[in-house]
Protein backbone atom coordinates (compact mmCIF):
# COMPACT_ATOMS: atom_id res chain seq x y z
CA UNK A 1 0.00 0.00 0.00
CA UNK A 2 1.37 3.39 -1.01
CA UNK A 3 0.49 6.46 1.04
CA UNK A 4 0.75 9.93 -0.47
CA UNK A 5 -0.02 13.12 1.42
CA UNK A 6 -1.20 16.20 -0.48
CA UNK A 7 -0.28 19.22 1.61
CA UNK A 8 0.44 22.94 1.63
CA UNK A 9 0.15 25.59 4.33
CA UNK A 10 -1.93 27.79 2.05
CA UNK A 11 -5.52 27.22 1.08
CA UNK A 12 -6.92 27.40 -2.43
CA UNK A 13 -3.90 25.97 -4.22
CA UNK A 14 -5.52 22.79 -5.55
CA UNK A 15 -4.97 20.22 -2.78
CA UNK A 16 -8.45 18.70 -2.96
CA UNK A 17 -8.55 18.81 -6.76
CA UNK A 18 -5.20 17.03 -6.85
CA UNK A 19 -6.34 14.40 -4.35
CA UNK A 20 -9.55 13.67 -6.24
CA UNK A 21 -7.95 13.73 -9.68
CA UNK A 22 -5.10 11.36 -8.80
CA UNK A 23 -7.42 9.09 -6.83
CA UNK A 24 -9.93 8.93 -9.67
CA UNK A 25 -7.28 8.02 -12.24
CA UNK A 26 -5.89 5.28 -9.99
CA UNK A 27 -9.35 3.83 -9.34
CA UNK A 28 -10.18 3.82 -13.04
CA UNK A 29 -7.03 1.80 -13.61
CA UNK A 30 -8.29 -0.88 -11.27
CA UNK A 31 -6.47 0.18 -8.09
CA UNK A 32 -8.19 0.09 -4.72
CA UNK A 33 -7.96 3.67 -3.45
CA UNK A 34 -8.76 5.35 -0.15
CA UNK A 35 -9.02 9.13 0.06
CA UNK A 36 -8.61 10.52 3.58
CA UNK A 37 -10.05 13.92 4.46
CA UNK A 38 -8.19 15.48 7.39
CA UNK A 39 -9.43 19.05 6.87
CA UNK A 40 -12.16 20.20 9.32
CA UNK A 41 -13.74 22.13 6.44
CA UNK A 42 -14.35 18.74 4.81
CA UNK A 43 -14.02 19.98 1.22
CA UNK A 44 -12.98 16.54 0.01
CA UNK A 45 -15.97 14.95 1.72
CA UNK A 46 -18.43 17.48 0.32
CA UNK A 47 -16.88 17.04 -3.13
CA UNK A 48 -18.36 13.54 -3.18
CA UNK A 49 -21.67 14.66 -1.72
CA UNK A 50 -20.85 13.36 1.76
CA UNK A 51 -22.41 15.51 4.46
CA UNK A 52 -20.09 14.35 7.22
CA UNK A 53 -21.99 16.27 9.89
CA UNK A 54 -24.83 13.80 9.40
CA UNK A 55 -22.70 10.65 9.44
CA UNK A 56 -22.50 8.24 12.34
CA UNK A 57 -18.70 7.96 11.96
CA UNK A 58 -15.81 9.88 10.41
CA UNK A 59 -12.04 10.23 10.71
CA UNK A 60 -12.68 12.11 13.95
CA UNK A 61 -13.95 8.90 15.54
CA UNK A 62 -10.65 7.21 14.73
CA UNK A 63 -8.76 9.92 16.60
CA UNK A 64 -10.93 9.78 19.71
CA UNK A 65 -11.20 5.98 19.72
CA UNK A 66 -9.81 4.68 23.02
CA UNK A 67 -9.61 1.03 21.93
CA UNK A 68 -6.99 -0.68 19.75
CA UNK A 69 -7.59 0.24 16.12
CA UNK A 70 -8.77 -2.64 13.94
CA UNK A 71 -9.56 -2.88 10.23
CA UNK A 72 -13.28 -2.99 11.06
CA UNK A 73 -12.99 0.21 13.11
CA UNK A 74 -11.59 2.04 10.09
CA UNK A 75 -13.75 0.38 7.43
CA UNK A 76 -16.91 1.25 9.35
CA UNK A 77 -16.07 4.94 8.86
CA UNK A 78 -15.72 4.80 5.07
CA UNK A 79 -18.12 6.13 2.45
CA UNK A 80 -18.42 4.90 -1.16
CA UNK A 81 -18.10 7.06 -4.29
CA UNK A 82 -19.27 6.71 -7.89
CA UNK A 83 -16.25 4.50 -8.56
CA UNK A 84 -16.46 1.00 -7.08
CA UNK A 85 -12.82 0.89 -5.97
CA UNK A 86 -12.65 4.48 -4.63
CA UNK A 87 -13.60 5.16 -1.01
CA UNK A 88 -13.42 8.18 1.24
CA UNK A 89 -12.70 8.49 4.95
CA UNK A 90 -14.68 11.68 5.62
CA UNK A 91 -13.95 14.62 7.90
CA UNK A 92 -16.18 16.84 10.00
CA UNK A 93 -15.90 20.09 11.90
CA UNK A 94 -15.16 18.29 15.18
CA UNK A 95 -11.61 17.76 13.86
CA UNK A 96 -10.96 21.43 14.59
CA UNK A 97 -11.05 20.60 18.31
CA UNK A 98 -8.36 17.90 18.22
CA UNK A 99 -5.40 20.19 18.90
CA UNK A 100 -7.10 21.58 21.99
CA UNK A 101 -8.39 18.19 23.16
CA UNK A 102 -5.48 15.91 22.47
CA UNK A 103 -2.57 17.80 20.96
CA UNK A 104 -0.28 17.15 23.93
CA UNK A 105 -1.06 13.46 24.38
CA UNK A 106 1.71 11.00 23.66
CA UNK A 107 1.32 9.18 20.36
CA UNK A 108 -1.27 11.56 18.91
CA UNK A 109 0.92 12.17 15.88
CA UNK A 110 0.77 8.50 14.86
CA UNK A 111 -2.96 7.77 15.10
CA UNK A 112 -3.58 7.95 11.35
CA UNK A 113 -0.49 5.88 10.58
CA UNK A 114 -1.77 3.11 12.86
CA UNK A 115 -5.25 3.31 11.34
CA UNK A 116 -3.89 2.93 7.81
CA UNK A 117 -1.71 0.03 8.87
CA UNK A 118 -4.89 -1.70 10.02
CA UNK A 119 -6.32 -1.58 6.47
CA UNK A 120 -3.08 -2.17 4.61
CA UNK A 121 -4.46 -5.26 2.90
CA UNK A 122 -7.62 -3.46 1.75
CA UNK A 123 -6.11 -0.76 -0.46
CA UNK A 124 -3.37 -0.22 -3.02
CA UNK A 125 -3.15 3.55 -2.53
CA UNK A 126 -4.08 6.03 0.17
CA UNK A 127 -4.18 9.75 -0.64
CA UNK A 128 -4.47 12.14 2.31
CA UNK A 129 -5.91 15.64 1.82
CA UNK A 130 -4.47 18.00 4.46
CA UNK A 131 -5.72 21.17 6.14
CA UNK A 132 -3.62 24.29 5.41
CA UNK A 133 -2.63 24.60 9.07
CA UNK A 134 0.24 22.96 10.93
CA UNK A 135 -1.26 21.00 13.80
CA UNK A 136 -1.99 17.47 14.92
CA UNK A 137 -3.84 16.64 11.67
CA UNK A 138 -1.02 17.69 9.35
CA UNK A 139 1.50 15.98 11.63
CA UNK A 140 -0.51 12.76 11.36
CA UNK A 141 -0.77 13.03 7.59
CA UNK A 142 2.98 13.56 7.21
CA UNK A 143 3.90 10.81 9.67
CA UNK A 144 1.72 8.32 7.79
CA UNK A 145 3.02 8.91 4.26
CA UNK A 146 5.95 7.89 2.10
CA UNK A 147 5.52 10.73 -0.43
CA UNK A 148 4.42 14.37 -0.12
CA UNK A 149 2.79 16.16 -3.04
CA UNK A 150 2.77 19.95 -2.61
CA UNK A 151 0.39 21.73 -5.02
CA UNK A 152 1.33 25.39 -5.49
CA UNK A 153 -0.77 27.90 -7.37
CA UNK A 154 1.36 29.80 -9.87
CA UNK A 155 1.06 33.21 -8.25
CA UNK A 156 3.40 35.00 -5.87
CA UNK A 157 1.31 34.86 -2.69
CA UNK A 158 1.20 31.08 -3.03
CA UNK A 159 4.99 31.01 -3.22
CA UNK A 160 5.14 32.51 0.28
CA UNK A 161 2.93 29.72 1.57
CA UNK A 162 5.27 27.22 -0.04
CA UNK A 163 8.19 28.60 1.98
CA UNK A 164 6.31 27.77 5.19
CA UNK A 165 5.43 24.32 3.96
CA UNK A 166 8.99 23.43 3.00
CA UNK A 167 10.23 24.69 6.38
CA UNK A 168 7.62 22.50 8.07
CA UNK A 169 8.86 19.46 6.15
CA UNK A 170 12.39 20.09 7.38
CA UNK A 171 11.23 20.37 11.00
CA UNK A 172 8.94 17.35 10.74
CA UNK A 173 11.67 15.33 9.05
CA UNK A 174 13.96 15.91 12.00
CA UNK A 175 11.23 15.07 14.49
CA UNK A 176 10.22 11.85 12.71
CA UNK A 177 13.76 10.95 11.68
CA UNK A 178 12.76 10.63 8.04
CA UNK A 179 13.44 12.46 4.81
CA UNK A 180 10.30 13.29 2.88
CA UNK A 181 10.12 12.35 -0.79
CA UNK A 182 8.59 15.63 -1.95
CA UNK A 183 7.28 16.82 -5.31
CA UNK A 184 6.13 20.42 -5.78
CA UNK A 185 3.35 20.64 -8.37
CA UNK A 186 2.57 23.98 -10.10
CA UNK A 187 -1.21 24.34 -10.36
CA UNK A 188 -3.80 26.69 -11.88
CA UNK A 189 -1.31 27.75 -14.52
CA UNK A 190 -2.54 30.16 -17.19
CA UNK A 191 0.09 30.74 -19.86
CA UNK A 192 -1.78 33.86 -21.02
CA UNK A 193 -0.95 35.66 -17.78
CA UNK A 194 2.52 37.14 -17.38
CA UNK A 195 2.42 36.91 -13.58
CA UNK A 196 1.79 33.17 -13.79
CA UNK A 197 4.75 32.67 -16.12
CA UNK A 198 6.98 34.69 -13.81
CA UNK A 199 5.78 32.81 -10.72
CA UNK A 200 6.51 29.48 -12.42
CA UNK A 201 10.02 30.65 -13.35
CA UNK A 202 10.65 31.72 -9.75
CA UNK A 203 9.37 28.39 -8.48
CA UNK A 204 11.71 26.45 -10.75
CA UNK A 205 14.66 28.70 -9.93
CA UNK A 206 14.20 28.51 -6.15
CA UNK A 207 13.35 24.81 -5.80
CA UNK A 208 15.00 23.18 -8.82
CA UNK A 209 14.56 19.43 -9.12
CA UNK A 210 11.94 19.37 -6.37
CA UNK A 211 9.51 21.00 -8.83
CA UNK A 212 7.60 18.88 -11.34
CA UNK A 213 8.62 20.09 -14.77
CA UNK A 214 5.05 20.15 -16.09
CA UNK A 215 2.04 22.16 -14.87
CA UNK A 216 -1.60 21.64 -14.00
CA UNK A 217 -3.46 24.17 -16.17
CA UNK A 218 -6.53 26.22 -15.40
CA UNK A 219 -9.46 24.08 -16.54
CA UNK A 220 -13.14 24.86 -15.93
CA UNK A 221 -13.92 21.15 -16.10
CA UNK A 222 -12.53 20.74 -12.59
CA UNK A 223 -15.38 22.90 -11.31
CA UNK A 224 -17.92 21.07 -13.46
CA UNK A 225 -16.72 17.72 -12.13
CA UNK A 226 -17.04 18.86 -8.52
CA UNK A 227 -20.64 19.84 -9.19
CA UNK A 228 -21.21 16.33 -10.54
CA UNK A 229 -19.53 14.89 -7.41
CA UNK A 230 -17.12 12.72 -9.39
CA UNK A 231 -13.46 12.78 -10.47
CA UNK A 232 -12.94 14.84 -13.60
CA UNK A 233 -11.42 11.85 -15.42
CA UNK A 234 -14.70 9.95 -15.03
CA UNK A 235 -16.86 12.63 -16.64
CA UNK A 236 -14.50 14.60 -18.89
CA UNK A 237 -11.72 12.13 -19.72
CA UNK A 238 -10.31 14.09 -22.67
CA UNK A 239 -9.77 17.47 -21.04
CA UNK A 240 -6.37 19.10 -20.61
CA UNK A 241 -6.65 18.91 -16.82
CA UNK A 242 -7.04 15.13 -16.94
CA UNK A 243 -4.15 14.85 -19.36
CA UNK A 244 -1.95 16.87 -16.98
CA UNK A 245 -2.87 14.79 -13.92
CA UNK A 246 -2.24 11.59 -15.88
CA UNK A 247 1.29 12.84 -16.57
CA UNK A 248 1.71 13.75 -12.91
CA UNK A 249 0.56 10.30 -11.84
CA UNK A 250 3.08 8.71 -14.19
CA UNK A 251 5.84 10.84 -12.64
CA UNK A 252 4.80 9.93 -9.10
CA UNK A 253 4.64 6.21 -9.84
CA UNK A 254 8.00 6.21 -11.60
CA UNK A 255 9.71 7.97 -8.70
CA UNK A 256 7.99 5.71 -6.17
CA UNK A 257 9.29 2.63 -7.95
CA UNK A 258 12.90 3.84 -8.13
Amino acid sequence: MKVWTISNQKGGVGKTTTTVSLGGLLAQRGKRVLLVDTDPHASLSYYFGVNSEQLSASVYDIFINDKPLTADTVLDCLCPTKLDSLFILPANMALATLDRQMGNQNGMGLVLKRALEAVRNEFDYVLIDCPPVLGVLMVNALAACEKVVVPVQTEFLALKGLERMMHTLVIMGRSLNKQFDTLIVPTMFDRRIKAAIEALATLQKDYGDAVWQEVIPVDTRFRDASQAQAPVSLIYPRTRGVYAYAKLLKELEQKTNL
Side-chain angles (χ1 to χ4, degrees), residues 33 41 63 69 81 89-90 99 125 141 158 166 196 198 203 235 250:
V33 184
H41 291 103
F63 278 96
L69 284 169
T81 69
L89 178 53
D99 278 286
Y125 286 83
M166 299 306 285
E198 292 176 346
L203 194 61
I235 304 178
K250 182 177 180 181

Side-chain angles (χ1 to χ4, degrees), residues 60-87:
Y60 176 73
D61 295 276
I62 289 174
F63 278 96
I64 64 171
N65 180 61
D66 57 1
K67 300 176 182 178
L69 284 169
T70 66
D72 287 341
T73 303
V74 180
L75 294 174
D76 285 346
C77 297
L78 305 190
C79 295
T81 69
K82 292 181 179 179
L83 286 167
D84 289 342
S85 60
L86 182 67
F87 292 84

Side-chain angles (χ1 to χ4, degrees), residues 14-217:
K15 294 189 297 295
T16 299
T17 297
T18 297
T19 304
V20 173
S21 298
L22 293 175
L25 285 167
L26 286 165
Q28 286 179 274
R29 296 176 185 181
K31 303 299 183 182
R32 298 170 299 168
V33 184
L34 174 62
L35 306 182
V36 181
D37 192 351
T38 62
D39 189 341
H41 291 103
S43 295
L44 178 62
S45 304
Y46 285 117
Y47 185 107
F48 288 100
V50 176
N51 187 344
S52 53
E53 303 307 318
Q54 297 179 357
L55 293 175
S56 58
S58 70
V59 69
Y60 176 73
D61 295 276
I62 289 174
F63 278 96
I64 64 171
N65 180 61
D66 57 1
K67 300 176 182 178
L69 284 169
T70 66
D72 287 341
T73 303
V74 180
L75 294 174
D76 285 346
C77 297
L78 305 190
C79 295
T81 69
K82 292 181 179 179
L83 286 167
D84 289 342
S85 60
L86 182 67
F87 292 84
I88 181 168
L89 178 53
N92 62 15
M93 285 299 295
L95 286 173
T97 68
L98 281 181
D99 278 286
R100 184 175 68 253
Q101 285 183 321
M102 305 174 177
N104 294 324
Q105 291 184 16
N106 290 333
M108 273 303 294
L110 299 175
V111 173
L112 186 56
K113 182 180 177 67
R114 291 195 292 267
L116 296 181
E117 285 291 336
V119 294
R120 170 168 289 278
N121 295 328
E122 303 294 330
F123 298 99
D124 300 307
Y125 286 83
V126 177
L127 278 64
I128 307 172
D129 189 15
C130 279
V133 178
L134 178 58
V136 69
L137 292 164
M138 184 182 288
V139 169
N140 267 268
L142 292 175
C145 76
E146 62 193 39
K147 181 182 291 292
V148 181
V149 179
V150 185
V152 182
Q153 184 180 1
T154 44
E155 57 98 14
F156 281 101
L157 285 179
L159 299 188
K160 298 301 292 183
L162 177 61
E163 289 181 15
R164 293 193 296 273
M165 186 66 222
M166 299 306 285
H167 182 61
T168 293
L169 289 176
V170 171
I171 295 172
M172 284 294 300
R174 292 171 183 164
S175 175
L176 296 169
N177 194 28
K178 66 187 287 188
Q179 186 170 356
F180 291 104
D181 179 4
T182 305
L183 185 65
I184 298 168
V185 178
T187 61
M188 305 181 195
F189 181 71
D190 190 338
R191 64 181 68 256
R192 299 168 298 177
I193 298 176
K194 181 181 179 182
I197 295 172
E198 292 176 346
L200 178 61
T202 299
L203 194 61
Q204 293 170 335
K205 174 178 174 291
D206 290 349
Y207 295 97
D209 292 341
V211 181
W212 182 43
Q213 293 307 300
E214 305 284 343
V215 297
I216 303 298

